[in-house]
Amino acid sequence: MSAAVDTGERILDAAAELIATHGYAATTTRAIAERAGVNEVTLFRRFESKRGVLKALGERMARRQAGRAAEHVAPSEDTHATLLAFARMEIEGALADNGLAMRLAYDARSVSEVGEALGAGAGANLSGLAEFMRERQEAGQLRADIDPRVMAEAFFGLTSSYVIMRTVLGLGEAPVDVSTDSGIEQLFDLFWSGASATKER
Amino acid sequence: MSAAVDTGERILDAAAELIATHGYAATTTRAIAERAGVNEVTLFRRFESKRGVLKALGERMARRQAGRAAEHVAPSEDTHATLLAFARMEIEGALADNGLAMRLAYDARSVSEVGEALGAGAGANLSGLAEFMRERQEAGQLRADIDPRVMAEAFFGLTSSYVIMRTVLGLGEAPVDVSTDSGIEQLFDLFWSGASATKER
DNA sequence: CCATAATGCAAGCAAGCACTTGCATGAATG
DNA sequence: CATTCATGCAAGTGCTTGCTTGCATTATGG
C-alpha cells in the first residue's frame, strides 16, 4: 500500500514542480509522468485525467496550508509578532513550493478548471486578513486612518511580491532560512512603521 | 504603407490582449489572427513565427514603457511627490495593458524568447529605483536604516500587487481614474509613512 | 501458492497545434 | 498599362496533446 501511496504522491510532486515553472497549460501529462518516474498510463489510472491531477494537487495544497497555519501562527496579543510570524509563514510556504500557488492563481484566469481546483483561496485569505487588521485597529494597535482592506492588501503585496521576485523574476536570492532572514525583517519593518499606531521607530 | 503598418499593429494588439488573459502557451496563432481580423497566414508572413510575434510585442512594450517614463516622471526635489507620481505611472501602465507584463514575466520562465523580449526589464527597473532610494536616503529624505534595495522592493511590491489583485485575482475594482484614485493614495501613504525620514503623519 | 491489485509497456487515436504551399485578388506605384 | 506588394483563401503537413486499449509483469496478503 505504501508503494501505491508513494506513486500518487510522486506524481503530485512532479506536477507541482512542473506547473510552478511552466504553468498548467504548458505542463503535459507525459512530462509529469516522466518526472515522477512513472508510466503515463499510471497517472491516468490514478487521477483519471489531467484535471484530476490538478484537483488532487489543489486539495493537497489546501491541506498543507492549513497545517502550516495551525502550526506556526499562534494567535497573540502582540500584533507586531503575529504579523511578522504570518509574513514569514506565507513566504516560507510559497517559496517551498516554488511559487506554485501564485502561478496557479495566474492560470485560474485562463483555465477555468484551475480556478475550480483552487477554490476561494486568495480572496478568502485577503478578507480574513482585512478582518484581523480591523480588529487591531479597534484595539488601537494599528493606525485607524487607513482602510483595513488597503492594509491587508499592502501586507499581502509585501509577501507575495517578495516571493514573485525570487521565484519568477529571479531577482534577489531566496533566503536559506526564512525564519532568520533579515531581508524579510527589514521589509516587514517598513510595513510596520507605516501601519502601526505608534510613531516610534 | 499605412495599411501595412496597421495590420502589424492590429496583430500585436490582438496578441497582447489574448496573452494577457490566456497566457502565451494557451494563445493560438489562429486566435490572434481571428481577433486581429486577419488571415493566419498573414501573421506568419509578417512575424515569421509565434515567437516572432512575442518578440515584436516585447519590443513594443519596452518602447512604450520608456515613453511613459520620460513623459510622466519629472525629476523633482520633492521625494514624496516623485514617488507617488511614479507609483501612479506604474499602475496606470500595467492596468492599461491588463497585466500583460506580469503575465509575460511568468511565461519567460518556460519560453526563453519571452525573457529575451522583455530584456533586463524588471531587474533594471528595480536597481534603478534602488539607486533613487539611496540618493534620497543620503539627502536625508528617506530613513537610512533600511537597505535601499529593500525599499525599492517594497515599493515595487506595492504597485505590482495592486495591479495583480485587480487584473489577476479579480479582487477589488480597477479605478476609473488612476490619477485620482484614493486607494492608491492610501496604499502609498502606508509605504511613505514607513519609509520617509520624518516621523510625522 | 494463489488471487488481487498496482504498475509497466507498446501502440494508437482524434483533435489541435504551429507552420507551409500554391494560387487568386486587389490596390497602389511607376 | 504593367508591376509589385500586401493580403486572402484552401488545403495540407508533421508534431504534440490528452487519453485509451490490451496484455504482460510484479508485488502483497490471505
Side-chain angles (χ1 to χ4, degrees), chain B residues 7 39 42 45-46:
Chain B
T7 305
N39 195 286
T42 301
R45 280 199 271 245
R46 300 196 60 105

Side-chain angles (χ1 to χ4, degrees), chain A residues 102 105-106 109 122-123 126 147-154 156-157 160, chain B residues 20-21 91-92 94-100 102 157-178 181-188:
Chain A
M102 205 62 209
Y106 252 95
R109 211 181 163 199
L126 190 68
D147 188 321
R149 284 168 305 179
V150 172
M151 238 177 214
E153 185 170 336
F156 185 79
S160 63
Chain B
T21 48
I91 289 173
E92 186 166 41
L95 284 180
D97 65 11
N98 205 20
L100 174 63
M102 205 62 210
L158 186 106
T159 56
S160 64
S161 68
Y162 183 91
V163 173
I164 287 174
M165 290 201 194
R166 280 152 188 82
T167 60
V168 180
L169 303 181
L171 312 172
E173 293 166 23
V176 180
D177 184 358
V178 169
D181 180 57
S182 70
I184 295 178
E185 209 155 323
Q186 281 201 34
L187 206 55
F188 180 76

Side-chain angles (χ1 to χ4, degrees), chain A residues 34-50:
Chain A
E34 189 181 356
R35 183 168 201 118
V38 146
N39 196 286
E40 192 186 1
V41 188
T42 301
L43 181 151
F44 282 100
R45 281 198 270 244
R46 298 193 66 100
F47 298 101
E48 192 145 22
S49 64
K50 185 184 178 184

Side-chain angles (χ1 to χ4, degrees), chain A residues 27-30 44 49-50:
Chain A
T27 297
T28 71
T29 52
R30 280 202 242 283
F44 282 100
S49 64
K50 185 184 178 184

Side-chain angles (χ1 to χ4, degrees), chain A residues 11-88:
Chain A
I11 291 175
L12 290 185
D13 288 341
E17 286 181 47
L18 290 172
I19 293 176
T21 50
H22 303 306
Y24 178 75
T27 297
T28 71
T29 52
R30 280 202 242 283
I32 296 173
E34 189 181 356
R35 183 168 201 118
V38 146
N39 196 286
E40 192 186 1
V41 188
T42 301
L43 181 151
F44 282 100
R45 281 198 270 244
R46 298 193 66 100
F47 298 101
E48 192 145 22
S49 64
K50 185 184 178 184
R51 189 186 184 133
V53 176
L54 180 69
K55 194 178 159 199
L57 186 59
E59 284 161 6
R60 194 178 77 166
M61 284 172 62
R63 246 180 287 127
R64 290 188 176 175
Q65 164 74 14
R68 258 198 309 271
E71 188 178 344
H72 291 315
V73 181
S76 151
E77 299 284 303
D78 187 341
T79 304
H80 177 275
T82 304
L83 282 176
L84 179 54
F86 190 62
R88 287 214 153 100

